[in-house]
Amino acid sequence: MDIFAQQILNGLVLGSVYALVALGYTMVYGILGLINFAHGEVVMIGAMIALAVVSILLSAFPEMHPLLTILLAGVSAILVCMALAFLIERLAYRPLRNAPRLAPLITAIGISILLQNIAMIIWGRKYKTVPQIFPTETFELFGASITSVQIFIITISAVLMTGLLVIVHFTKLGRAMRATSESQRVAGLMGINVNKIISVTFMMGAGLAAVAGILIAGNYSVVHYSMGFMLGLKAFTAAVLGGIGNLGGAVLGGLLLGLIESIGAGYIGDLTGGFLGSHYQDVFAFVVLIVVLVFRPTGIMGERVSERA
Amino acid sequence: MSFLETHALGVRYGGIRAVRGVDISVEEGETVALIGANGAGKSSMLNAIAGVLPHTGRVSFDNEDLTNRPVFDRVRLGISMVPEGRGVFGRLTVEENLLMGAYLGNSQKDQDLDLKQMYDFFPRLKERRRQTGGTLSGGEQQMLAIGRALMSRPKLLLLDEPSMGLAPIMVEKIFEVIRGVSKTGVTILLVEQNARLALQSSQRAYVMESGELSITGESNELLYSPKIRSSYLGEGD
């Protein structure tokens, strides 16, 4: 088995999930200038809801087709996460729309802690195993092995990301979102209900987050109330790497970060003579964050269009 | 009741009372200018009528009380504003900017028709339809902003300092466009620092001073009023 090819493949799988989550960060940032630190927790809630629905369906209808089970679980998780994001924006962020920027940021961190604790109370403190719904098959690809779950992750992510880019760039709703992110005042003058567009943006991000939660739960076969925290930070890093506020940047940043982490973790042992092991994987994301912030704070694609007066 | 009426309109802006109880009225089809020195409260008036700034007092338009209606609702009723500084979406293409103006509706067919009409009206915009708004010159942006405002088929067009920052030849062109729009029957309320142009392009005018109305009258009379000439037209005697 080719180790390098394997790391690239693992990196792409991980990166797809980062990209899905990073899109949520970057969309909200683009429209409100807010870093929604509660976004990682929405991913976790998505995974938890999906797991709960799967457990109920498996015990109530053991004969149900696995695809239908996963579909129902996915739809439930998406709907719950969208409702949750709607409420977070409506109740926590909107009253602070005109407050100093620090206020909503701290509120976001507060919501993140609140959601973690609520999840802990509901689902307990232990790691929960995800039942295997599909029989996992392994395939060979360029000398690397890929599981059916991994293929599923990459496919679903690619479809959703393409769908989002199409919506944002080629539909009336997307045009309104882009207009609102440039100027809420002028968007209002076009007859756009800016609050509605902001709600929709939060909900779209949350829908992607729910799917990301399910994918990551499927990949690692385990969920935990704190799983959204680190994932959220990394996706945020991915968004900054790509250029926060830029959708294509979020996708690129997510994939790159996944690759960097995966390849880094694969070779860090050799590079340090065994002094540091692959459990230092998380270090890479934050080294990347620091490097980007120091040398290119606007990220890879975060070039501002010049706006002549 | 007039087409557009404000009653005791008051606006607070940045901690100051920018507009202090102003009553104006505009009849259907008229072009009315609002002139005055920098900081007299003209723009605040316009923004309050559009619903961008909160206000006290009353605004009514086309027999509807606008007072508690949000900005997007006022657009639905037929008010369209070209904001100061033009407010072109710099990252949207010219065509996307125009389509934003038609956000609230009309059938696809009407929208295509309006788009074609705008391109006939502003051939320059047609040439640049695929470029982003941010790459246009100031004058082109002003044309785009006016075209975009017209895409909603407004009954009332609010223009905030359309000549600002433009070369004299461009200013001429823009005002030609404004007079053309007026001829199509659209009611216009124009805020403009260039008092001469504003008076030449309107039927009536209100002069504002420190948030209050000081002089009102027919534009062609105001053009020859000694006080206006010395204070606003730069023709001291």
Side-chain angles (χ1 to χ4, degrees), chain A residues 142-154:
Chain A
F142 303 121
S145 67
I146 185 166
T147 67
S148 44
V149 175
Q150 288 177 316
I151 294 174
F152 187 69
I153 290 178
I154 290 182

Side-chain angles (χ1 to χ4, degrees), chain B residues 141-161:
Chain B
Q141 285 194 355
Q142 189 65 59
M143 287 180 186
L144 178 55
I146 292 174
R148 186 180 63 182
L150 293 175
M151 286 290 288
S152 68
R153 299 191 171 183
K155 296 186 214 159
L156 171 66
L157 185 63
L158 306 173
L159 295 164
D160 197 354
E161 303 279 9

Side-chain angles (χ1 to χ4, degrees), chain A residues 30 169 172-173 175-176 178-183 185-194 197 304-309, chain B residues 50 52 71-72 75 81 83 86-92 96 99-105 134-138 141 148:
Chain A
H169 287 285
K172 188 171 171 183
L173 171 67
R175 231 167 25 229
R178 284 181 290 139
T180 305
S181 81
E182 275 200 48
S183 167
R185 187 178 56 94
V186 182
L189 287 174
M190 302 295 111
I192 296 172
N193 183 342
V194 169
I197 294 294
R304 285 228 161 243
V305 178
S306 71
E307 279 162 57
R308 272 198 258 165
Chain B
V52 176
V71 46
F72 57 88
V75 179
M81 177 157 105
R86 309 178 270 274
V88 161
F89 298 113
R91 289 191 290 262
L92 268 58
E96 285 177 329
L99 290 174
M100 282 318 303
Y103 181 76
L104 279 183
T135 63
L136 300 188
S137 74
Q141 285 194 355
R148 186 180 63 182

Side-chain angles (χ1 to χ4, degrees), chain B residues 2-237:
Chain B
S2 295
F3 194 51
L4 172 74
E5 256 182 40
T6 69
H7 177 68
L9 192 79
V11 182
R12 284 190 154 277
Y13 188 64
I16 2 169
R17 286 174 60 204
V19 178
R20 313 165 177 224
V22 171
D23 296 6
I24 65 166
S25 61
V26 179
E27 302 302 329
E28 194 160 6
E30 262 191 318
T31 296
V32 173
L34 203 53
I35 59 179
N38 218 344
K42 310 175 303 265
S43 282
S44 297
M45 277 287 293
L46 221 54
N47 278 298
I49 293 169
V52 176
L53 286 179
H55 60 85
T56 56
R58 246 171 11 88
V59 180
S60 70
F61 169 71
D62 205 7
N63 297 316
E64 300 258 7
D65 185 9
L66 296 186
T67 307
N68 291 313
R69 292 190 185 246
V71 46
F72 57 88
D73 232 13
R74 300 186 190 204
V75 179
R76 194 186 308 274
L77 290 172
I79 299 182
S80 192
M81 177 157 105
V82 178
E84 186 178 333
R86 309 178 270 274
V88 161
F89 298 113
R91 289 191 290 262
L92 268 58
T93 64
V94 167
E95 184 146 316
E96 285 177 329
N97 265 282
L98 287 172
L99 290 174
M100 282 318 303
Y103 181 76
L104 279 183
N106 298 333
S107 60
Q108 188 64 45
K109 204 175 127 222
D110 284 349
Q111 199 173 302
D112 293 345
L113 210 71
D114 289 352
L115 199 59
K116 192 179 166 305
Q117 201 184 349
M118 288 311 141
Y119 285 146
D120 289 345
F121 216 25
F122 305 107
R124 198 92 179 123
L125 297 182
K126 186 174 190 177
E127 285 166 33
R128 310 197 163 220
R129 57 203 281 199
R130 307 255 171 259
Q131 272 177 243
T132 56
T135 63
L136 300 188
S137 74
E140 291 165 344
Q141 285 194 355
Q142 189 65 59
M143 287 180 186
L144 178 55
I146 292 174
R148 186 180 63 182
L150 293 175
M151 286 290 288
S152 68
R153 299 191 171 183
K155 296 186 214 159
L156 171 66
L157 185 63
L158 306 173
L159 295 164
D160 197 354
E161 303 279 9
S163 78
M164 201 173 70
L166 300 186
I169 182 149
M170 222 9 144
V171 173
E172 262 319 307
K173 259 191 196 158
I174 294 291
F175 271 81
E176 221 168 88
V177 166
I178 293 172
R179 284 188 286 262
V181 170
S182 169
K183 282 208 189 86
T184 65
V186 178
T187 310
I188 298 178
L189 180 57
L190 166 71
V191 160
E192 180 54 60
Q193 275 206 59
N194 186 333
R196 182 186 312 278
L197 258 175
L199 291 174
Q200 283 168 349
S201 321
S202 58
Q203 282 101 56
R204 284 190 306 119
Y206 292 93
V207 182
M208 282 187 81
E209 233 172 273
S210 342
E212 289 168 350
L213 289 185
S214 60
I215 307 169
T216 67
E218 304 278 326
S219 299
N220 49 17
E221 283 171 25
L222 292 181
L223 265 172
Y224 299 102
S225 127
K227 174 149 195 314
I228 299 281
R229 289 177 80 100
S230 64
S231 310
Y232 298 103
L233 301 177
E235 296 177 8
D237 38 12

